[in-house]
Amino acid sequence: MIFTQKQLFLGTTHIALRAESLYVCKRNPQGVATLETEVPYEEILPVKSGEHRLIPVNQLVLTGLLLVFLGYGPWREWLATGHTGFPLYSWWLILGVNALSMWIRFEQQWCTFRLQTAHLSVTLAGRPWQRKQFRALVAELERRTKTYLRDEYGQVNPLGFIEPQLRRVAWLHELDVLSAREAQALSTRLTGRRSTDTLRSMGQELDSPYLN
């Protein structure tokens, strides 16, 4: 899965989900890579995402009122005489500059998407038409990471060293790759016991019974 986003004056952000890693590359408007990294799936979880909006409504209303005030005279003259002059052209120029400035700030400051992993944080423009694609990227990243970890580390061998495998099972359970029931089943397969907790009988501590 690939997610690409171009931002005016900032360049391009490219995110790709590869077979064993997450690839992120940011390039400036000249096409030079300013950030390029590849994070293995072992270092991804937990995955967090957010959509942040901070639109200055009062500032937008004030700007609109100021444009109306500046344009009242030139528009009144044009409606009365039918002639356009420098004041009206200047008003259109101011309107265009403000519109461009608002668009840039909308993309880069007011609305943003954020993708955060255990060792990486990426901020993107919060474009409404890319919201569905961004959410799909986050969901697919988490699903693919957990599937990879389950396939690569979710198998145990009772004939091998038990302690490292128990730590690996606990690690997968902590990352929510394995459910509590699955982690318990694997631990039981390794140790032959349902629980490693000690039992007390007649004031003495006893090991939990082994299963055949």
Side-chain angles (χ1 to χ4, degrees):
M1 184 174 184
I2 298 176
F3 182 94
T4 302
Q5 186 180 86
K6 293 183 178 180
Q7 290 182 268
L8 189 64
F9 302 132
L10 289 183
T12 304
T13 302
H14 180 81
I15 302 175
L17 304 185
R18 295 181 173 176
E20 300 179 352
S21 61
L22 169 68
Y23 174 77
V24 179
C25 180
K26 285 191 172 185
R27 298 183 181 275
N28 60 21
Q30 290 73 36
V32 179
T34 57
L35 170 65
E36 189 171 14
T37 183
E38 192 167 357
V39 184
Y41 286 141
E42 288 87 350
E43 301 178 6
I44 291 294
L45 295 177
V47 176
K48 298 180 181 179
S49 64
E51 301 177 17
H52 304 277
R53 293 185 180 182
L54 187 60
I55 300 178
V57 179
N58 293 337
Q59 181 181 351
L60 293 177
V61 172
L62 182 62
T63 301
L65 293 176
L66 182 60
L67 288 173
V68 171
F69 175 77
L70 293 176
Y72 177 76
W75 276 98
R76 183 179 180 182
E77 180 181 356
W78 177 74
L79 292 175
T81 63
H83 297 289
T84 58
F86 178 77
L88 187 59
Y89 292 135
S90 301
W91 183 85
W92 277 109
L93 178 61
I94 295 173
L95 178 64
V97 170
N98 275 273
L100 179 61
S101 174
M102 289 181 184
W103 172 255
I104 295 174
R105 295 177 67 186
F106 171 80
E107 279 205 327
Q108 301 177 7
Q109 299 178 8
W110 295 345
C111 297
T112 57
F113 296 148
R114 177 167 293 179
L115 172 63
Q116 186 173 355
T117 68
H119 301 285
L120 180 68
S121 180
V122 181
T123 301
L124 303 164
R127 297 168 179 169
W129 56 89
Q130 287 189 314
R131 181 177 294 113
K132 184 177 181 180
Q133 186 181 1
F134 174 74
R135 292 176 178 176
L137 171 71
V138 174
E140 179 64 16
L141 173 61
E142 186 170 10
R143 185 199 68 79
R144 190 172 297 193
T145 301
K146 290 183 177 181
T147 299
Y148 174 82
L149 294 179
R150 180 185 291 269
D151 293 341
E152 294 293 326
Y153 302 99
Q155 307 299 324
V156 296
N157 180 12
L159 301 179
F161 292 104
I162 293 179
E163 286 298 328
Q165 296 186 79
L166 287 176
R167 288 195 295 268
R168 191 173 69 222
V169 170
W171 171 62
L172 293 177
H173 175 52
E174 182 180 353
L175 294 179
D176 200 27
V177 176
L178 297 177
S179 65
R181 179 175 296 181
E182 291 173 325
Q184 180 62 52
L186 292 176
S187 298
T188 301
R189 184 181 175 191
L190 284 170
T191 63
R193 294 183 292 179
R194 287 190 180 276
S195 174
T196 58
D197 297 336
T198 57
L199 303 177
R200 298 187 65 86
S201 176
M202 300 181 65
Q204 296 182 352
E205 292 186 355
L206 304 175
D207 290 335
S208 58
Y210 288 86
L211 302 177
N212 294 329

